[in-house]
Amino acid sequence: PRAPPPPCPGAAVSQVTVRDALNQALDEELERDERVFLLGEEVAQYDGAYKVGGGRARAGSGARAGPDCLCPAPQISRGLWKKYGDKRVIDTPISEMGFAGIAVGAAMAGLRPVCEFMTFNFSMQAIDQVINSAAKTCYMSAGSIAVPIVFRGPNGASAGVAAQHSQCFAAWYGHCPGLKVVSPWSSEDAKGLLKASIRDDNPVVMLENELLYGVPFEVSEQAQSKDFIVPIGKAKIERQGTHVTLVSHSRPVGHCLEAAAVLAKEGVECEVVNLRTIRPMDIETVEASVVKTNHLVTVEGGWPQFGVGAEICARIMEGPAFNYLDAPAVRVTGADVPMPYAKILEDNCIPQVKDIIFAVKKTLNI
């Protein structure tokens, strides 16, 4: 995990891990609205698989602990069961289709469930509930039935968990109308987007990153307020630049900032855009940056074909910013293979800082 950027001068800040930011958001929203409740595997008595609120890797999952996943596992719903009780924080059996269906039905009935998948790879067990039940019901009922639900959990590659536990679902869920899809990087992103997602009347898929859970970020005094939210559908400029636009989401945002710091020593100023929301995508912010820098590089951990970067490139080509490009847009993605288990192969399947630097120099022809 990469070091977070320095805080703005004069701002009152403190260090908060992504795990603690998510826990704060859940606590504040459970307290604020009695309709909110949590459910998932080991979110209650065990304090959460990732202690956000969820539990250990399931027996037989083949998961191998990474550097941030040592027992006890990262805790996200830590302390919430003791504070709010069995009716608000609910342990479920290992049956994603079952408890996701319960959560969708509860949302249709007027509650506001937060449904945790121990990893989004397991959400494929419940994809009918997420897409056919949650995403489409408001449209199919002519707006008469809202489904205010949040599906959240770790997404993308962790460490040493191989092909069946390492997929990025940003493009999968971003493809589907009826869903909102958010993908936080920093602690501020995580807290603000989770609170906004819980308050939203639409189904929201929140794609977190397990390797970020234990990473501390500077969080401003404003972001620690109970009223703080990050608007869904609004990207953030993490670093100003003039030569090339780097667009990313989730953990690769940190890689982009590190690459930008290296390139700055060579006289190349990168503008780093943290998407934060995959759907609806804030293409206006990306367009404005491309108009300024005249170059575009997208960075993501997912596969290249039909990916988030492919969508960004298509939208830029179809819009007014295309005429400002001085070179073709370049995508940096995960390798187009199932994730290997061996660490050296895994490292070569995930975008690294050196890959971003190479792509920037390629698009700038230097």
Side-chain angles (χ1 to χ4, degrees), residues 13-31:
V13 296
S14 62
Q15 291 270 344
V16 178
T17 66
V18 171
R19 176 189 303 123
D20 288 340
L22 291 165
N23 182 268
Q24 289 172 17
L26 291 170
D27 189 8
E28 290 170 8
E29 294 306 302
L30 282 163
E31 182 179 64

Side-chain angles (χ1 to χ4, degrees), residues 133-154:
S133 296
K136 299 176 182 176
T137 293
C138 184
Y139 176 83
M140 294 180 71
S141 67
S144 63
I145 303 175
V147 188
I149 185 171
V150 179
F151 299 100
R152 56 153 296 273

Side-chain angles (χ1 to χ4, degrees), residues 16 113 165 229 234 259 357:
V16 178
H165 295 71
I229 64 167
K234 184 62 181 171
I357 294 171

